[in-house]
Amino acid sequence: MTTRRDVLTGLACASTASLLPARAFADPGVMADKIILGQAAVFEGPASALGLGMRDGLTAAFAEANAKGGVAGRKIELLTQDDGYEPGKSIEATKALIAKDVFALVGPVGTPTSMAAHPIAKEAGLPFIGAFTGAEGLRDPYLPHVVNVRASYFQETEVWIERLVKDKGFSKIAIFYQDDAFGRAGLAGVKKAMDARKMSLVAEGTFERNTVAVRSALLEIRKANPEAVVMVGPYKPCAEFIKLCKQVKFAPVFMNISFVGSDALAAELGDAGAGVYVTQVVPLPTDASIPVVKAYQAALAASDAKDKKPGFVSLEGYLVGRTVVAALEKAGKNPTRKALMEALTNGSYDFGGFKMTFGPNDNRGSDDVYLTVIGSDGTFKAVSSLSA
Protein backbone atom coordinates (compact mmCIF):
# COMPACT_ATOMS: atom_id res chain seq x y z
CA MET A 1 0.00 0.00 0.00
CA THR A 2 1.38 3.44 -0.94
CA THR A 3 1.59 5.80 2.02
CA ARG A 4 1.82 9.56 2.14
CA ARG A 5 5.48 9.21 3.24
CA ASP A 6 6.26 7.16 0.11
CA VAL A 7 4.69 9.77 -2.15
CA LEU A 8 6.35 12.71 -0.39
CA THR A 9 9.68 10.95 -0.78
CA GLY A 10 8.87 10.33 -4.43
CA LEU A 11 7.99 13.99 -4.91
CA ALA A 12 11.35 15.00 -3.48
CA CYS A 13 13.22 12.47 -5.64
CA ALA A 14 11.36 13.48 -8.80
CA SER A 15 12.09 17.12 -8.08
CA THR A 16 15.81 16.47 -7.55
CA ALA A 17 16.03 14.37 -10.70
CA SER A 18 14.58 17.18 -12.77
CA LEU A 19 16.89 19.83 -11.34
CA LEU A 20 18.63 21.84 -14.03
CA PRO A 21 22.05 23.47 -13.41
CA ALA A 22 20.66 26.94 -14.15
CA ARG A 23 17.64 26.56 -11.88
CA ALA A 24 17.80 28.63 -8.69
CA PHE A 25 15.35 26.43 -6.77
CA ALA A 26 14.88 22.71 -6.30
CA ASP A 27 11.54 22.08 -7.98
CA PRO A 28 10.29 22.90 -11.50
CA GLY A 29 7.80 25.75 -11.54
CA VAL A 30 9.43 27.72 -8.71
CA MET A 31 11.29 30.75 -10.03
CA ALA A 32 12.89 33.69 -8.29
CA ASP A 33 9.81 35.84 -8.95
CA LYS A 34 6.94 33.42 -9.61
CA ILE A 35 5.40 30.00 -9.09
CA ILE A 36 3.83 28.36 -12.15
CA LEU A 37 0.79 26.11 -11.75
CA GLY A 38 -1.10 24.14 -14.40
CA GLN A 39 -4.78 23.41 -15.08
CA ALA A 40 -6.02 20.84 -17.60
CA ALA A 41 -9.78 21.30 -17.99
CA VAL A 42 -12.59 21.70 -20.51
CA PHE A 43 -12.68 25.14 -22.12
CA GLU A 44 -14.58 24.32 -25.32
CA GLY A 45 -17.70 22.25 -26.05
CA PRO A 46 -20.96 21.47 -24.20
CA ALA A 47 -19.32 21.34 -20.75
CA SER A 48 -17.05 24.37 -21.23
CA ALA A 49 -18.80 26.52 -18.60
CA LEU A 50 -17.37 24.19 -15.95
CA GLY A 51 -13.73 24.60 -16.95
CA LEU A 52 -14.12 28.32 -17.62
CA GLY A 53 -15.78 28.81 -14.23
CA MET A 54 -13.04 26.95 -12.40
CA ARG A 55 -10.39 28.97 -14.24
CA ASP A 56 -12.14 32.24 -13.38
CA GLY A 57 -12.19 31.31 -9.70
CA LEU A 58 -8.57 30.20 -9.65
CA THR A 59 -7.32 33.32 -11.41
CA ALA A 60 -9.35 35.51 -9.03
CA ALA A 61 -7.75 33.85 -6.00
CA PHE A 62 -4.25 34.09 -7.48
CA ALA A 63 -4.73 37.72 -8.55
CA GLU A 64 -5.91 38.51 -5.01
CA ALA A 65 -2.71 36.98 -3.60
CA ASN A 66 -0.51 38.62 -6.23
CA ALA A 67 -1.96 42.06 -5.45
CA LYS A 68 -0.67 41.58 -1.91
CA GLY A 69 2.83 40.73 -3.12
CA GLY A 70 2.32 37.06 -3.91
CA VAL A 71 3.71 34.29 -1.71
CA ALA A 72 7.13 35.08 -0.22
CA GLY A 73 7.59 37.65 -2.97
CA ARG A 74 6.62 35.30 -5.80
CA LYS A 75 3.58 35.89 -8.01
CA ILE A 76 1.40 32.90 -8.91
CA GLU A 77 0.92 32.17 -12.61
CA LEU A 78 -1.60 29.72 -14.08
CA LEU A 79 -1.04 27.87 -17.36
CA THR A 80 -4.07 26.12 -18.89
CA GLN A 81 -4.68 23.37 -21.46
CA ASP A 82 -8.05 22.37 -22.92
CA ASP A 83 -8.93 18.67 -22.55
CA GLY A 84 -12.41 18.80 -24.11
CA TYR A 85 -13.79 16.77 -21.17
CA GLU A 86 -12.33 13.62 -22.74
CA PRO A 87 -9.97 11.27 -20.82
CA GLY A 88 -7.54 10.76 -23.70
CA LYS A 89 -7.21 14.48 -24.29
CA SER A 90 -6.82 15.05 -20.56
CA ILE A 91 -3.80 12.75 -20.49
CA GLU A 92 -2.21 14.70 -23.34
CA ALA A 93 -3.09 18.06 -21.79
CA THR A 94 -1.59 16.96 -18.48
CA LYS A 95 1.59 15.79 -20.15
CA ALA A 96 1.84 19.10 -22.02
CA LEU A 97 1.64 21.01 -18.74
CA ILE A 98 4.22 18.77 -17.12
CA ALA A 99 6.53 19.44 -20.08
CA LYS A 100 6.17 23.16 -19.30
CA ASP A 101 7.58 22.53 -15.80
CA VAL A 102 4.51 23.44 -13.74
CA PHE A 103 4.91 23.11 -9.98
CA ALA A 104 1.52 21.46 -9.38
CA LEU A 105 -1.76 20.68 -11.15
CA VAL A 106 -4.85 22.49 -9.86
CA GLY A 107 -8.56 22.63 -10.64
CA PRO A 108 -8.98 19.76 -13.14
CA VAL A 109 -12.61 19.22 -14.18
CA GLY A 110 -14.51 15.94 -14.36
CA THR A 111 -14.39 12.37 -13.11
CA PRO A 112 -13.28 10.49 -16.26
CA THR A 113 -10.67 13.14 -17.00
CA SER A 114 -9.34 13.35 -13.45
CA MET A 115 -9.17 9.56 -13.12
CA ALA A 116 -7.14 9.45 -16.34
CA ALA A 117 -4.86 12.37 -15.44
CA HIS A 118 -3.97 11.87 -11.79
CA PRO A 119 -1.78 8.76 -12.40
CA ILE A 120 0.22 10.85 -14.90
CA ALA A 121 0.68 13.50 -12.22
CA LYS A 122 1.73 10.89 -9.67
CA GLU A 123 4.32 9.39 -12.02
CA ALA A 124 5.80 12.84 -12.66
CA GLY A 125 5.82 13.73 -8.95
CA LEU A 126 3.20 16.50 -9.15
CA PRO A 127 0.53 17.29 -6.54
CA PHE A 128 -3.01 17.01 -7.97
CA ILE A 129 -5.15 19.57 -6.15
CA GLY A 130 -8.82 20.52 -6.05
CA ALA A 131 -10.40 18.46 -8.82
CA PHE A 132 -13.95 19.52 -9.71
CA THR A 133 -15.36 16.06 -9.04
CA GLY A 134 -16.72 14.22 -6.03
CA ALA A 135 -15.67 10.76 -7.24
CA GLU A 136 -14.74 8.26 -4.55
CA GLY A 137 -11.88 7.10 -6.79
CA LEU A 138 -9.93 10.20 -5.73
CA ARG A 139 -10.76 9.68 -2.06
CA ASP A 140 -10.99 5.99 -1.28
CA PRO A 141 -8.55 4.31 -1.41
CA TYR A 142 -6.44 7.19 -0.13
CA LEU A 143 -4.16 8.78 -2.73
CA PRO A 144 -1.33 10.75 -1.08
CA HIS A 145 -0.61 12.95 -4.12
CA VAL A 146 -4.28 14.03 -4.40
CA VAL A 147 -5.95 16.79 -2.37
CA ASN A 148 -9.75 17.12 -2.49
CA VAL A 149 -11.34 20.41 -1.47
CA ARG A 150 -15.03 19.53 -1.99
CA ALA A 151 -17.39 16.97 -0.45
CA SER A 152 -17.86 13.69 -2.32
CA TYR A 153 -20.65 12.46 -4.58
CA PHE A 154 -21.49 9.81 -1.99
CA GLN A 155 -22.15 12.61 0.49
CA GLU A 156 -24.32 14.45 -2.03
CA THR A 157 -26.33 11.40 -3.04
CA GLU A 158 -26.96 10.53 0.61
CA VAL A 159 -28.52 13.99 1.04
CA TRP A 160 -30.65 13.38 -2.08
CA ILE A 161 -32.16 10.15 -0.84
CA GLU A 162 -32.51 11.35 2.74
CA ARG A 163 -34.47 14.40 1.66
CA LEU A 164 -36.64 12.60 -0.92
CA VAL A 165 -37.59 9.87 1.54
CA LYS A 166 -37.79 11.88 4.75
CA ASP A 167 -39.32 15.11 3.44
CA LYS A 168 -41.51 13.75 0.65
CA GLY A 169 -42.06 10.13 1.60
CA PHE A 170 -41.09 9.03 -1.91
CA SER A 171 -40.45 5.38 -2.69
CA LYS A 172 -40.29 5.51 -6.52
CA ILE A 173 -36.98 7.08 -7.54
CA ALA A 174 -35.28 6.85 -10.95
CA ILE A 175 -31.84 7.97 -12.10
CA PHE A 176 -30.66 9.77 -15.24
CA TYR A 177 -26.89 9.62 -15.62
CA GLN A 178 -23.96 10.04 -17.98
CA ASP A 179 -22.72 6.65 -19.13
CA ASP A 180 -19.10 6.92 -17.97
CA ALA A 181 -17.02 6.99 -14.79
CA PHE A 182 -18.74 10.18 -13.61
CA GLY A 183 -22.26 8.89 -14.05
CA ARG A 184 -21.45 5.52 -12.57
CA ALA A 185 -19.87 7.22 -9.53
CA GLY A 186 -23.18 8.97 -8.93
CA LEU A 187 -25.12 5.76 -9.58
CA ALA A 188 -23.00 3.93 -6.99
CA GLY A 189 -23.68 6.66 -4.44
CA VAL A 190 -27.44 6.52 -5.05
CA LYS A 191 -27.52 2.75 -4.76
CA LYS A 192 -25.49 2.89 -1.56
CA ALA A 193 -27.93 5.36 -0.02
CA MET A 194 -30.95 3.35 -1.18
CA ASP A 195 -29.50 0.02 -0.06
CA ALA A 196 -29.19 1.49 3.45
CA ARG A 197 -32.94 2.07 3.34
CA LYS A 198 -33.74 -1.27 1.70
CA MET A 199 -34.92 0.52 -1.45
CA SER A 200 -34.23 0.04 -5.16
CA LEU A 201 -34.31 2.33 -8.17
CA VAL A 202 -37.42 1.94 -10.32
CA ALA A 203 -35.63 2.93 -13.55
CA GLU A 204 -32.30 3.98 -15.03
CA GLY A 205 -31.70 6.12 -18.12
CA THR A 206 -28.31 6.98 -19.61
CA PHE A 207 -26.74 9.27 -22.21
CA GLU A 208 -23.31 9.59 -23.79
CA ARG A 209 -20.76 12.16 -22.63
CA ASN A 210 -20.55 15.40 -24.66
CA THR A 211 -24.00 14.82 -26.22
CA VAL A 212 -27.59 15.86 -25.51
CA ALA A 213 -29.08 12.64 -26.86
CA VAL A 214 -31.44 12.03 -23.95
CA ARG A 215 -34.76 10.93 -25.53
CA SER A 216 -34.20 7.20 -25.07
CA ALA A 217 -33.39 7.81 -21.40
CA LEU A 218 -36.63 9.76 -21.03
CA LEU A 219 -38.67 6.95 -22.59
CA GLU A 220 -37.09 4.36 -20.28
CA ILE A 221 -37.58 6.42 -17.13
CA ARG A 222 -41.08 7.65 -17.94
CA LYS A 223 -42.39 4.07 -18.21
CA ALA A 224 -41.74 3.61 -14.47
CA ASN A 225 -43.59 6.84 -13.56
CA PRO A 226 -41.18 7.78 -10.75
CA GLU A 227 -41.94 10.42 -8.16
CA ALA A 228 -38.38 11.79 -8.45
CA VAL A 229 -35.51 11.65 -10.94
CA VAL A 230 -32.00 12.12 -9.59
CA MET A 231 -29.56 13.37 -12.21
CA VAL A 232 -25.82 12.88 -12.70
CA GLY A 233 -24.62 14.92 -15.66
CA PRO A 234 -23.48 18.35 -16.86
CA TYR A 235 -25.86 21.21 -17.55
CA LYS A 236 -26.73 20.80 -21.25
CA PRO A 237 -28.02 17.18 -21.25
CA CYS A 238 -29.68 17.64 -17.86
CA ALA A 239 -31.46 20.77 -19.06
CA GLU A 240 -32.52 19.01 -22.25
CA PHE A 241 -33.94 16.11 -20.25
CA ILE A 242 -35.91 18.36 -17.90
CA LYS A 243 -37.33 20.46 -20.76
CA LEU A 244 -38.41 17.35 -22.67
CA CYS A 245 -40.08 15.97 -19.54
CA LYS A 246 -42.08 19.16 -19.13
CA GLN A 247 -43.07 19.12 -22.80
CA VAL A 248 -44.69 15.69 -22.37
CA LYS A 249 -46.31 16.65 -19.03
CA PHE A 250 -44.05 14.35 -17.02
CA ALA A 251 -43.35 16.20 -13.78
CA PRO A 252 -41.34 14.32 -11.14
CA VAL A 253 -39.09 16.13 -8.67
CA PHE A 254 -35.71 16.76 -10.32
CA MET A 255 -32.56 16.56 -8.18
CA ASN A 256 -29.16 17.44 -9.69
CA ILE A 257 -25.58 16.93 -8.52
CA SER A 258 -23.19 19.85 -7.97
CA PHE A 259 -21.08 19.01 -11.04
CA VAL A 260 -24.04 19.97 -13.24
CA GLY A 261 -22.85 23.58 -13.31
CA SER A 262 -25.75 25.22 -11.50
CA ASP A 263 -25.71 28.66 -13.06
CA ALA A 264 -25.34 27.27 -16.58
CA LEU A 265 -28.19 24.83 -15.84
CA ALA A 266 -30.48 27.64 -14.73
CA ALA A 267 -29.61 29.64 -17.84
CA GLU A 268 -30.28 26.66 -20.13
CA LEU A 269 -33.61 25.90 -18.43
CA GLY A 270 -35.04 29.41 -18.36
CA ASP A 271 -38.68 29.29 -17.24
CA ALA A 272 -38.52 25.49 -17.02
CA GLY A 273 -36.04 25.70 -14.13
CA ALA A 274 -38.40 26.71 -11.33
CA GLY A 275 -38.47 24.04 -8.63
CA VAL A 276 -35.41 22.11 -9.85
CA TYR A 277 -33.12 21.11 -6.96
CA VAL A 278 -29.32 21.00 -6.94
CA THR A 279 -27.01 19.92 -4.13
CA GLN A 280 -23.96 22.17 -3.77
CA VAL A 281 -20.57 21.74 -2.13
CA VAL A 282 -19.93 25.48 -1.62
CA PRO A 283 -22.08 28.21 -0.05
CA LEU A 284 -24.36 30.49 -2.07
CA PRO A 285 -22.01 32.65 -4.17
CA THR A 286 -24.41 35.59 -3.80
CA ASP A 287 -24.45 35.56 0.02
CA ALA A 288 -22.00 38.31 0.96
CA SER A 289 -22.83 37.86 4.65
CA ILE A 290 -20.40 34.91 4.54
CA PRO A 291 -16.85 36.35 4.85
CA VAL A 292 -15.24 34.08 2.27
CA VAL A 293 -18.03 34.77 -0.23
CA LYS A 294 -17.61 38.53 0.26
CA ALA A 295 -13.86 38.13 -0.37
CA TYR A 296 -14.57 35.98 -3.44
CA GLN A 297 -16.96 38.55 -4.90
CA ALA A 298 -14.38 41.30 -4.48
CA ALA A 299 -11.59 39.17 -5.95
CA LEU A 300 -13.73 38.15 -8.93
CA ALA A 301 -14.71 41.76 -9.64
CA ALA A 302 -11.06 42.86 -9.50
CA SER A 303 -9.76 39.98 -11.65
CA ASP A 304 -9.42 39.49 -15.39
CA ALA A 305 -12.12 36.78 -15.32
CA LYS A 306 -14.33 36.86 -18.39
CA ASP A 307 -17.46 36.24 -16.32
CA LYS A 308 -17.61 38.62 -13.38
CA LYS A 309 -21.00 37.31 -12.21
CA PRO A 310 -20.68 35.26 -9.00
CA GLY A 311 -21.44 31.57 -9.50
CA PHE A 312 -21.06 28.20 -7.82
CA VAL A 313 -18.33 26.90 -10.14
CA SER A 314 -16.10 29.96 -9.96
CA LEU A 315 -16.58 30.07 -6.17
CA GLU A 316 -15.30 26.50 -6.00
CA GLY A 317 -12.34 27.49 -8.18
CA TYR A 318 -11.66 30.43 -5.87
CA LEU A 319 -11.70 28.13 -2.82
CA VAL A 320 -9.26 25.76 -4.53
CA GLY A 321 -7.03 28.76 -5.31
CA ARG A 322 -7.22 30.00 -1.72
CA THR A 323 -6.28 26.52 -0.53
CA VAL A 324 -3.20 26.47 -2.75
CA VAL A 325 -2.16 29.97 -1.63
CA ALA A 326 -2.58 29.07 2.06
CA ALA A 327 -0.56 25.87 1.63
CA LEU A 328 2.21 27.70 -0.25
CA GLU A 329 2.42 30.19 2.60
CA LYS A 330 2.85 27.28 5.01
CA ALA A 331 5.41 25.58 2.78
CA GLY A 332 8.15 28.11 3.50
CA LYS A 333 10.21 30.72 1.72
CA ASN A 334 11.42 28.32 -0.98
CA PRO A 335 8.53 25.85 -1.37
CA THR A 336 9.01 22.33 -2.65
CA ARG A 337 6.34 19.90 -3.79
CA LYS A 338 7.03 17.81 -0.70
CA ALA A 339 6.55 20.83 1.59
CA LEU A 340 3.38 21.82 -0.28
CA MET A 341 1.84 18.38 0.20
CA GLU A 342 2.83 18.29 3.86
CA ALA A 343 1.09 21.65 4.32
CA LEU A 344 -2.00 20.47 2.42
CA THR A 345 -2.43 17.13 4.14
CA ASN A 346 -1.99 18.21 7.76
CA GLY A 347 -4.33 20.29 9.88
CA SER A 348 -7.22 22.60 9.12
CA TYR A 349 -8.05 25.64 7.00
CA ASP A 350 -10.79 28.17 7.74
CA PHE A 351 -11.48 30.82 5.12
CA GLY A 352 -14.43 32.36 6.97
CA GLY A 353 -17.52 30.30 6.24
CA PHE A 354 -15.75 27.40 4.54
CA LYS A 355 -13.68 24.99 6.60
CA MET A 356 -11.50 22.04 5.63
CA THR A 357 -9.76 19.45 7.76
CA PHE A 358 -7.11 17.00 6.57
CA GLY A 359 -5.27 14.26 8.43
CA PRO A 360 -3.25 11.08 8.05
CA ASN A 361 -4.71 9.04 5.19
CA ASP A 362 -7.49 11.62 4.77
CA ASN A 363 -7.34 13.81 1.65
CA ARG A 364 -10.95 14.98 1.97
CA GLY A 365 -11.16 18.65 2.94
CA SER A 366 -14.80 19.71 3.25
CA ASP A 367 -17.77 17.50 4.09
CA ASP A 368 -20.38 20.20 3.59
CA VAL A 369 -23.35 19.66 1.26
CA TYR A 370 -25.93 22.43 0.72
CA LEU A 371 -29.41 21.96 -0.75
CA THR A 372 -30.59 24.64 -3.19
CA VAL A 373 -33.56 25.16 -5.49
CA ILE A 374 -34.05 27.30 -8.58
CA GLY A 375 -36.69 29.97 -7.95
CA SER A 376 -39.24 31.37 -10.40
CA ASP A 377 -36.81 34.24 -11.11
CA GLY A 378 -34.05 31.81 -12.15
CA THR A 379 -31.89 32.42 -9.07
CA PHE A 380 -30.84 29.85 -6.49
CA LYS A 381 -32.14 29.77 -2.96
CA ALA A 382 -30.84 27.70 -0.05
CA VAL A 383 -33.39 25.38 1.54
CA SER A 384 -33.18 23.01 4.48
CA SER A 385 -35.70 20.51 3.18
CA LEU A 386 -37.86 19.66 0.18
CA SER A 387 -40.96 20.63 2.10
CA ALA A 388 -39.68 24.16 2.75
Side-chain angles (χ1 to χ4, degrees), residues 331-343:
K333 185 177 179 180
N334 293 318
T336 62
R337 289 167 175 165
K338 178 182 177 182
L340 177 68
M341 288 305 295
E342 286 177 338

Side-chain angles (χ1 to χ4, degrees), residues 23-331:
R23 191 181 301 282
F25 303 96
D27 283 356
V30 179
M31 311 299 179
D33 60 345
K34 62 185 176 182
I35 297 173
I36 304 173
L37 304 174
Q39 182 195 20
V42 52
F43 301 120
E44 296 181 1
S48 60
L50 306 178
L52 294 170
M54 282 294 284
R55 186 176 68 186
D56 284 348
L58 286 167
T59 56
F62 298 152
E64 177 184 61
N66 290 343
K68 299 174 183 177
V71 178
R74 294 185 181 90
K75 301 295 179 70
I76 301 174
E77 182 178 316
L78 182 68
L79 301 182
T80 61
Q81 291 278 146
D82 178 54
D83 68 11
Y85 192 36
E86 290 291 350
K89 290 183 179 179
S90 187
I91 290 172
E92 295 308 311
T94 300
K95 288 180 177 178
L97 289 168
I98 292 170
K100 294 178 181 178
D101 279 350
V102 297
F103 182 60
L105 295 167
V106 300
V109 171
T111 299
T113 43
S114 294
M115 294 305 294
H118 86 80
I120 309 300
K122 179 181 179 182
E123 183 179 358
L126 271 72
F128 194 81
I129 304 167
F132 185 62
T133 170
E136 287 296 310
L138 293 179
R139 294 162 171 80
D140 187 15
Y142 173 69
L143 300 170
H145 68 293
V146 173
V147 173
N148 296 291
V149 169
R150 55 155 43 221
S152 73
Y153 291 151
F154 277 21
Q155 290 169 306
E156 287 192 70
T157 52
E158 169 60 28
V159 170
W160 286 357
I161 305 307
E162 173 72 6
R163 297 273 64 87
L164 289 170
V165 173
K166 186 174 182 179
D167 299 345
K168 292 290 190 179
F170 288 171
S171 59
K172 298 177 65 178
I173 300 171
I175 188 170
F176 168 77
Y177 66 95
Q178 186 166 283
D179 191 13
D180 66 359
F182 164 45
R184 289 188 288 274
L187 174 65
V190 170
K191 286 187 173 180
K192 182 176 186 290
M194 297 191 75
D195 286 346
R197 296 166 175 81
K198 296 181 170 49
M199 298 172 62
S200 298
L201 288 162
V202 296
E204 298 180 20
T206 65
F207 64 96
E208 296 298 317
R209 182 177 58 247
N210 279 331
T211 76
V212 290
V214 302
R215 288 183 179 275
S216 61
L218 170 58
L219 292 173
E220 186 64 30
I221 288 173
R222 191 184 181 195
K223 287 189 296 186
N225 194 31
E227 298 160 300
V229 177
V230 295
M231 311 181 74
V232 188
Y235 56 96
K236 279 189 177 292
C238 287
E240 181 69 10
F241 181 87
I242 292 169
K243 287 188 288 187
L244 286 175
C245 286
K246 296 200 171 186
Q247 286 176 16
V248 298
K249 311 299 183 186
F250 174 47
V253 169
F254 298 107
M255 182 78 73
N256 285 263
I257 209 157
S258 60
F259 183 88
V260 71
S262 301
D263 302 290
L265 175 69
E268 290 281 338
L269 285 171
D271 293 341
V276 172
Y277 292 93
V278 185
T279 46
Q280 313 288 354
V281 293
V282 298
L284 278 177
T286 54
D287 188 356
S289 69
I290 302 171
V292 73
V293 174
K294 183 178 181 180
Y296 150 74
Q297 291 178 355
L300 187 68
S303 74
D304 293 330
K306 290 185 178 180
D307 186 359
K308 303 274 188 169
K309 184 180 178 181
F312 290 98
V313 180
S314 61
L315 175 55
E316 183 165 341
Y318 174 78
L319 291 169
V320 171
R322 284 284 300 269
T323 302
V324 173
V325 170
L328 283 171
E329 290 172 344
K330 276 187 172 184

